């Protein structure tokens, strides 16, 4: 009898291990953030191909199910609940908009899968009247956050702004969960450096229903005459903001944009010349991991990656595969333990999850960021100096 039970048990275990692991992904494949969502999908597809060519996960081909959340809160909640109830996934990946992520908080708590998130930078840190994603989810054992938080984003630029010798900054920001806390952190940081915040204005992003007409706000920037215009919004705001600056003849010495992604091909637009921004990855990074990723991406998709979210998505899926394989099981506690303790590979170099201000499991921090400048249709890295691909161009 014992022998029969052992055979049946072994068969049951074998059947369980025969089931492929499926990871559910939320990404804005359509709508105003589609450029970033499509970049994420391209990164996931490359990682999936490589993972399965390397033997898959737990001896089976890994499967992914990507749902379009449109960066819209209601759509994101419905897509997540479909992944949990119809697709039966145990692991969630992807993520972009802070507003959509905040809408997902209660659904995440209800189902409590392992959530590894590459967007949703809104921390809530430093804003007494607002609870951000880090405050709401950061202490959850099953929540892993890969993208830097908003305060880490602005922190990354402080050294650059100081090096420029900027004396005054005008801050424009989208009026939602992403831009408002980021602008507060930026304002506090630059004021602490003795830099004057000549203007701080909120606008409604084109991603969240704005008209894309920034002329009235930009006229205020012109009147304030700052050394630098620093705007925090979404990728769909980048071109109208830059076009209308030119149209109005508003020309601060430096224009710095901080969207979570940049539209594909925007570097070719004449109005983008000299605009600066943050980027987590560019194909011209000199480290071997970046070069290998860029060439593999080009071989699969026919072009080089132009959005760092492709690199983060690639990194995220590989971290799941490595952690589940190291655990040897899909048991949640075992996989969490591996995610917490392992070091992972990425196009940006080795990384691991560490505590941040509140969160138990934070991936990249301020040191992930590079400052680039659009120069003659190319994004050239201009800071920090040891990773620069070109000197900063003087445009005024």
């Amino acid at each position: 009898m014992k022998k029969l039970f052992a055979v049946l048990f072994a068969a049951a275990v074998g059947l369980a291990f025969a089931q492929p692991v499926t990871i559910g992904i939320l990404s804005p494949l359509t709508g105003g953030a589609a450029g970033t969502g499509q970049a994420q999908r391209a990164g996931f597809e490359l990682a999936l191909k490589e993972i399965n060519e390397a033997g898959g996960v737990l001896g089976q081909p890994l499967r992914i199910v990507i749902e379009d959340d449109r960066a819209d809160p209601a759509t994101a909640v419905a897509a997540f609940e479909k992944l949990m109830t119809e697709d039966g996934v145990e692991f969630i990946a992807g993520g972009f908009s802070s507003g959509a992520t905040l809408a997902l908080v209660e659904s995440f708590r209800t189902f409590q899968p392992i959530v590894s998130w590459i967007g949703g930078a809104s921390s809530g840190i430093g804003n007494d009247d607002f609870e951000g994603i880090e405050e709401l989810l950061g202490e959850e054992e099953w929540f892993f956050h890969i993208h830097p938080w908003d305060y880490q984003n602005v922190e990354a630029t402080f050294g650059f702004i100081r090096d420029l010798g900027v004396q005054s900054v005008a801050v424009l920001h989208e009026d939602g969960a992403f831009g408002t806390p980021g602008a507060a952190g930026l304002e506090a940081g630059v004021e602490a450096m003795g830099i004057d915040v000549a203007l701080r204005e909120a606008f409604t992003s084109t991603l969240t229903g704005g008209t894309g007409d920034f002329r009235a706000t930009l006229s205020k920037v012109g009147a304030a005459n700052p050394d630098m215009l620093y705007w925090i919004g979404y990728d769909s705001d980048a071109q109208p903001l830059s076009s209308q600056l030119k149209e109005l003849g508003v020309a601060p010495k430096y224009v710095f944009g901080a969207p979570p992604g940049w539209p594909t091909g925007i570097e070719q637009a004449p109005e983008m010349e000299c605009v600066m921004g943050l980027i987590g990855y560019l194909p011209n990074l000199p480290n071997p991991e970046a070069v290998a990723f860029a060439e593999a991406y080009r071989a699969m998709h026919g072009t080089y990656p132009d959005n760092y979210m492709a690199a983060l998505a690639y990194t995220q899926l590989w971290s799941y595969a490595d952690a589940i394989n190291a655990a040897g099981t899909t048991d949640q506690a075992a996989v969490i333990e591996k995610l917490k303790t392992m070091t992972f590979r990425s196009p940006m170099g080795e990384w691991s999850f560490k505590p941040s201000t509140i969160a138990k499991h934070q991936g990249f921090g301020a040191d992930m960021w590079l400052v680039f400048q659009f120069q003659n249709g190319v994004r050239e890295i201009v800071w920090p100096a040891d990773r620069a691909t070109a000197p900063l161009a003087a445009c005024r």
Side-chain angles (χ1 to χ4, degrees):
M1 186 65 184
K2 286 184 178 178
K3 184 177 181 180
L4 176 60
F5 176 79
V7 170
L8 291 173
F9 177 76
V13 171
L15 182 61
F17 277 89
Q19 301 301 313
V21 174
T22 303
I23 294 176
I25 294 168
L26 296 173
S27 189
L29 302 178
T30 60
T36 295
Q38 293 296 338
Q40 287 185 355
R41 178 158 71 178
F44 286 126
E45 289 173 345
L46 175 58
L48 182 69
K49 172 177 176 289
E50 291 182 357
I51 291 164
N52 285 336
E53 287 177 350
V57 172
L58 301 182
Q60 296 293 321
L62 177 65
R63 293 181 62 243
I64 60 174
V65 179
I66 304 180
E67 291 291 332
D68 180 10
D69 69 13
R70 299 182 55 80
D72 171 70
T75 306
V77 171
F80 169 73
E81 293 186 356
K82 173 190 174 292
L83 288 171
M84 299 306 302
T85 60
E86 297 181 26
D87 299 301
V89 304
E90 299 175 81
F91 308 99
I92 292 292
F96 176 65
S97 155
S98 290
T101 308
L102 287 167
L104 284 162
V105 167
E106 287 311 309
S107 295
F108 284 169
R109 290 192 186 285
T110 298
F111 290 94
Q112 297 192 12
I114 297 179
V115 178
S116 174
W117 211 238
I118 51 173
S122 178
S123 67
I125 305 296
N127 292 272
D128 294 338
D129 299 326
F130 171 76
E131 288 191 304
I133 298 158
E134 184 176 15
E135 289 181 320
L136 293 169
L137 291 174
E139 294 184 298
E140 297 292 354
E141 193 67 13
W142 43 265
F143 184 73
F144 292 78
H145 190 254
I146 294 179
H147 192 285
W149 295 112
D150 46 15
Y151 57 86
Q152 295 170 320
N153 296 345
V154 296
E155 177 189 338
T157 64
F158 290 158
F160 176 64
I161 294 173
R162 183 181 58 245
D163 289 353
L164 287 179
V166 167
Q167 297 298 311
S168 62
V169 178
V171 180
L172 304 185
H173 64 93
E174 68 92 24
D175 56 7
F178 170 58
T180 303
L186 175 67
E187 182 173 12
V190 297
E191 285 183 339
M193 292 191 291
I195 297 171
D196 177 46
V197 177
L199 175 74
R200 178 178 166 188
E201 285 274 318
F203 63 84
T204 301
S205 170
T206 54
L207 180 66
T208 55
T211 63
D213 184 349
F214 303 107
R215 292 175 181 82
T217 303
L218 294 176
S219 294
K220 294 180 183 178
V221 175
N225 193 30
D227 289 342
M228 171 180 276
L229 166 60
Y230 192 121
W231 65 265
I232 303 172
Y234 285 102
D235 39 0
S236 53
D237 302 318
Q239 199 149 1
L241 269 166
S242 298
S243 297
Q244 291 161 30
L245 274 173
K246 297 285 186 186
E247 174 191 323
L248 296 173
V250 177
K253 190 173 183 180
Y254 305 108
V255 177
F256 196 102
W262 295 83
T264 297
I266 195 172
E267 64 271 14
Q268 300 300 325
E271 61 269 29
M272 300 310 297
E273 183 71 11
C274 286
V275 171
M276 300 175 291
L278 287 174
I279 198 80
Y281 167 84
L282 278 173
N284 50 357
L285 269 176
N287 57 304
E289 299 91 343
V291 173
F293 171 72
E295 293 303 328
Y297 187 101
R298 187 178 66 85
M300 183 174 195
H301 298 296
T303 183
Y304 287 110
D306 64 355
N307 187 312
Y308 75 98
M309 281 286 183
L312 283 181
Y314 173 87
T315 296
Q316 182 184 45
L317 199 63
W318 260 112
S319 67
Y320 257 140
D322 285 344
I324 297 170
N325 275 332
T329 172
T330 58
D331 175 76
Q332 187 179 79
V335 176
I336 286 174
E337 183 62 24
K338 293 302 178 185
L339 285 170
K340 286 168 56 176
T341 56
M342 288 180 66
T343 297
F344 303 102
R345 301 156 292 170
S346 85
M348 291 75 73
E350 290 189 342
W351 66 286
S352 58
F353 288 104
K354 303 174 286 295
S356 54
T357 299
I358 293 176
K360 290 183 175 179
H361 314 132
Q362 173 60 30
F364 293 96
D367 57 352
M368 182 189 83
W369 292 117
L370 309 163
V371 176
F372 75 88
Q373 184 181 41
F374 291 107
Q375 296 182 9
N376 300 314
V378 176
R379 276 181 286 190
E380 297 284 3
I381 299 168
V382 296
W383 192 88
D386 63 348
R387 287 187 280 177
T389 57
L392 180 71
C395 298
R396 183 184 170 194

